[in-house]
């Protein structure tokens, strides 16, 4: 929206834009290539010579398409008085409209812009050659063409600069995204490694705790066995005198009984002999 326009001018502009939409809609149904040719002309705000149209469009049907647009007042054709060359141009609001919709078709825009850039790069080179001291004043044709196409050259440089900045921004965004992904991957890898180390440390601590528990259990078992052994030995020591006494008494009894048996046997044997 152009705030420098008055309300009446803005209404008139809106009316022109609506009329342009209707006209292009008509051509879009009848001749889509005419619409494409119209959008290509948006690259040339100062108009373009016939030779340059041929170099950029590179199709033999360009005259037919240009004639269709001229009949619909979407393109202006005029012949230059001095050089006699034919030049095509659009009204300024049509040029802005055409360039806007051409840039939405990235493939077509890149193709036509590159061809126009090569044309104007060659023109600027010739201009500086003529402007040198050795060639100055000998050939005025590059001067004249340069002055006529200077607005086109300026717009071409702007588009190229914007495209370079846009490409650079895309590359920077891609690099930033890749760097962030690498950092995230490194962070995840580090977290995984840390968790793995923590699990290893936990396992080692658990093994140490189990080993300590096993040692404590063995110590308790040894202590329990030692206590039982001591208790059983005390019981044996308490029973030992009675057993010793019992054993001595039993021995004396058995010995006395044996002596009695022997004396009986001897007495019986003496009787028998008698």
């Amino acid at each position: 929206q152009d705030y420098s326009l008055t309300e009446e001018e803005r209404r008139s502009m809106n009316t022109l834009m609506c009329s342009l939409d209707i006209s292009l809609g008509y051509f879009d149904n009848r001749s889509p290539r005419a619409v494409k040719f119209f959008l290509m002309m948006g690259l040339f705000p100062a108009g373009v010579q016939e030779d340059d149209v041929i170099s950029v469009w590179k199709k033999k049907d360009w005259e037919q398409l240009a004639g269709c647009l001229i009949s619909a007042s979407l393109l202006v054709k005029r012949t230059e008085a001095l050089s006699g060359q034919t030049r095509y141009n659009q009204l300024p609001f049509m040029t802005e409209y055409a360039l806007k919709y051409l840039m939405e078709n990235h493939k077509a825009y890149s193709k036509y812009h590159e061809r126009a850039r090569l044309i104007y790069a060659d023109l600027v080179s010739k201009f500086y050659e003529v402007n040198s001291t050795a060639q100055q004043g000998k050939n005025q044709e590059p001067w004249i063409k340069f002055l006529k196409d200077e607005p086109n050259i300026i717009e071409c440089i702007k588009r190229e600069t914007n495209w370079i900045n846009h490409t650079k921004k895309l590359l920077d965004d891609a690099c930033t995204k890749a760097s962030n992904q690498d950092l995230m991957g490194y962070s995840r890898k580090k977290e995984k490694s840390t968790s793995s180390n923590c699990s290893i440390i936990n396992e080692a601590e658990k093994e140490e705790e189990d080993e300590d528990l096993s040692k404590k259990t063995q110590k308790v078992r040894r202590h329990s066995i030692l206590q039982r052994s001591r208790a059983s030995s005390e019981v044996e020591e308490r029973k030992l005198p009675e057993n010793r006494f019992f054993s001595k008494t039993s021995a004396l009894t058995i010995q006395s009984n044996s002596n009695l048996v022997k004396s009986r046997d001897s007495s019986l044997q003496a009787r028998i002999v008698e």
Side-chain angles (χ1 to χ4, degrees), residues 199-232:
S199 62
I200 293 173
I201 292 172
N202 292 333
E203 290 179 359
E205 291 177 352
K206 187 176 180 181
E207 289 179 357
E208 290 180 359
E209 292 177 356
D210 293 342
E211 186 176 355
D212 293 339
L213 182 62
S214 177
K215 288 181 181 180
K216 289 180 181 179
T217 304
Q218 291 178 1
K219 187 175 180 181
V220 170
R221 286 179 180 176
R222 285 198 299 268
H223 182 71
S224 177
I225 292 171
L226 183 62
Q227 291 292 335
R228 289 178 183 177
S229 176
R230 288 178 181 177
S232 61

Side-chain angles (χ1 to χ4, degrees), residues 20-187:
L20 185 57
D21 288 336
I22 294 171
S23 299
L24 291 176
Y26 170 82
F27 278 108
D28 194 26
N29 295 327
R30 299 292 183 90
S31 178
R33 290 184 60 80
V35 176
K36 195 172 183 180
F37 187 85
F38 173 84
L39 298 181
M40 182 203 71
M41 292 298 296
L43 296 172
F44 311 105
V48 60
Q49 288 185 356
E50 185 175 332
D51 295 339
D52 295 338
V53 173
I54 296 172
S55 299
V56 176
W57 184 252
K58 291 186 179 296
K59 300 291 183 182
K60 294 181 179 181
D61 61 346
W62 72 271
E63 288 185 293
Q64 179 184 357
L65 300 175
C68 293
L69 295 175
I70 291 170
S71 64
S73 300
L74 298 176
L75 190 66
V76 177
K77 176 182 178 181
R78 58 188 177 85
T79 303
E80 296 177 349
L82 295 177
S83 62
Q85 292 183 348
T86 303
R87 195 170 184 89
Y88 296 88
N89 65 307
Q90 295 172 325
L91 296 175
F93 81 94
M94 291 185 181
T95 303
E96 294 180 5
Y97 181 97
L99 182 61
K100 176 184 176 182
Y101 284 98
L102 177 64
M103 293 181 71
E104 292 181 357
N105 187 342
H106 176 69
K107 185 177 180 181
Y109 168 75
S110 300
K111 179 174 64 175
Y112 297 137
H113 168 73
E114 180 63 18
R115 292 172 183 174
R117 186 188 67 82
L118 293 175
I119 291 171
Y120 293 128
D122 183 65
L123 175 60
V124 171
S125 299
K126 290 180 180 179
F127 171 75
Y128 278 103
E129 288 178 5
V130 171
N131 199 34
S132 64
T133 56
Q135 299 290 332
Q136 191 172 8
K138 292 183 179 181
N139 187 3
Q140 297 296 324
E141 184 180 351
W143 271 91
I144 296 172
K145 192 173 190 307
F146 179 83
L147 292 175
K148 290 181 178 179
D149 288 333
E150 186 178 9
N152 295 340
I153 295 171
I154 294 172
E155 291 300 319
C156 184
I157 293 172
K158 288 181 179 179
R159 290 194 300 268
E160 187 69 16
T161 304
N162 292 335
W163 176 250
I164 291 172
N165 293 334
H166 177 67
T167 305
K168 184 179 178 181
K169 185 178 182 301
L170 291 177
L171 290 175
D172 292 341
D173 293 343
C175 292
T176 303
K177 185 177 180 181
S179 178
N180 292 335
Q181 289 178 351
D182 292 340
L183 290 174
M184 291 176 64
Y186 174 76
S187 178

